[in-house]
Structure formats: structure tokens, C-alpha cells
Amino acid sequence: NKSGITLGTFYNDSKPQFSATRGTNVSVAFKLNGYVFGGDFSYTRLWATYRTYRQIGDFTLAFKLMAGGIKSSDTSNFIPVEDRFYSGGSTSVRGWNRAALGPKRESGSPLGGSSVLESSFEVRFPLFWRLSAVAFIDAGNTWQQEYTYRLNDLAYAVGPGLRIETPI
């Protein structure tokens, strides 16, 4: 039995909207679970993402920083699987499989964490038509302890990529 309230705010002045070359995008959200409407699990979840884009000639520099934490007030310290943080994959730390970073179960499958820190820096360059090239460096990880960020534990990925802009 799980119930909660999520509050969030969002600021975005990046342009163009779907393939930004300039501006800033900030989001902050807070989830209060179990305290207001009852439930089996009581915890708070806070996470924020900051993105900025700068165009220099034909190049676009893109930076992302995301951090979050979960704190349980139950004696069990249980956080439902769907609310834990996971890191790794195409929208996170590229070069790592989806949810491959952070705590693992004995079977080796991802356990999810109570803390997450991710960062990304990209250099984008248009090639032709709707095709562009990108070079990136990503860093990130999740940790089982709440609001714990060990920079020595960060995993890194560096690589190139091709992107095609679609209407979807």
C-alpha cells in the first residue's frame, strides 16, 4: 500500500525547444510518500536537474547535472523499487547498460539506490540535413545510503555519437 504527493517546478528558456542550442533548463521535484494519506512506506524523495546550452559558432556545448536523494523514516528503511534511483544507459551514463551502475543484488541484478549523482558534457556539431555528430563525457553512480555522494565511486563514459532529428 503506497500513497504520496509529488510537487515539482520547472524553468526552461532553452531554444529551440526539442534540440536546444542556447538557454537553461532547471527542474526540481519533491515526493512525500506515506505521511499524508497513509501507506506502508514513509519516505521523502528529492531530485533536481540542471541543463545549460551554449552555441559557439557551429558548435553547441551542452551540460547536465542531476542529483537526488531518498530518506526513509520507517524502521525497515524500505524504498519501493519504482522510486529508487538507477544510473547507466542511453539517457544517463552512456557506455554503461541500463541501470548497470550502483548497488546490486546477490544475483547481480540492479538494486537501485537512495542517492544519485550524474553529469554530462557534450559537444554537438551539425553535419547535414537533420544529422549531427556529438562527442560526450558522462559521469555518475547511485549509492545505497541516503544523500551520500562519493566522487571516487563515479563511473565514466566517453564517446562519439550520431543523432538524427525527428519530429517524434
Side-chain angles (χ1 to χ4, degrees):
N1 183 16
K2 184 177 102 165
S3 66
I5 293 175
T6 301
L7 302 170
T9 188
F10 184 81
Y11 171 81
N12 186 6
D13 72 353
S14 59
K15 302 287 185 218
Q17 191 71 28
F18 294 108
S19 186
T21 59
R22 63 190 183 283
T24 302
N25 175 324
V26 179
S27 64
V28 178
F30 176 76
K31 181 174 186 178
L32 189 64
N33 199 85
Y35 299 100
V36 178
F37 300 113
D40 295 334
F41 315 108
S42 297
Y43 57 92
T44 57
R45 184 179 197 263
L46 175 66
W47 67 103
T49 304
Y50 170 81
R51 299 172 193 262
T52 188
Y53 309 92
R54 300 290 177 253
Q55 190 165 14
I56 301 173
D58 287 339
F59 292 90
T60 299
L61 305 177
F63 175 76
K64 175 187 92 169
L65 179 64
M66 192 274 263
I70 305 171
K71 175 147 178 66
S72 173
S73 63
D74 291 340
T75 55
S76 69
N77 285 327
F78 182 78
I79 304 295
V81 172
E82 65 273 11
D83 279 337
R84 297 177 194 167
F85 293 110
Y86 297 89
S87 194
S90 63
T91 61
S92 174
V93 182
R94 296 165 280 193
W96 295 86
N97 288 332
R98 185 175 156 262
L101 299 174
K104 305 272 189 292
R105 292 181 175 88
E106 287 183 23
S107 66
S109 64
L111 179 61
S114 293
S115 301
V116 64
L117 180 64
E118 295 176 348
S119 181
S120 177
F121 179 74
E122 292 182 351
V123 178
R124 303 172 184 169
F125 183 78
L127 297 174
F128 60 89
W129 186 56
R130 295 176 179 233
L131 192 65
S132 62
V134 62
F136 66 85
I137 181 168
D138 294 343
N141 211 338
T142 60
W143 295 271
Q144 201 163 5
Q145 298 80 19
E146 53 206 30
Y147 295 98
T148 299
Y149 311 97
R150 293 188 193 102
L151 299 182
N152 289 341
D153 292 344
L154 290 178
Y156 297 90
V158 177
L162 289 175
R163 291 190 177 158
I164 186 164
E165 188 178 327
T166 69
I168 299 173

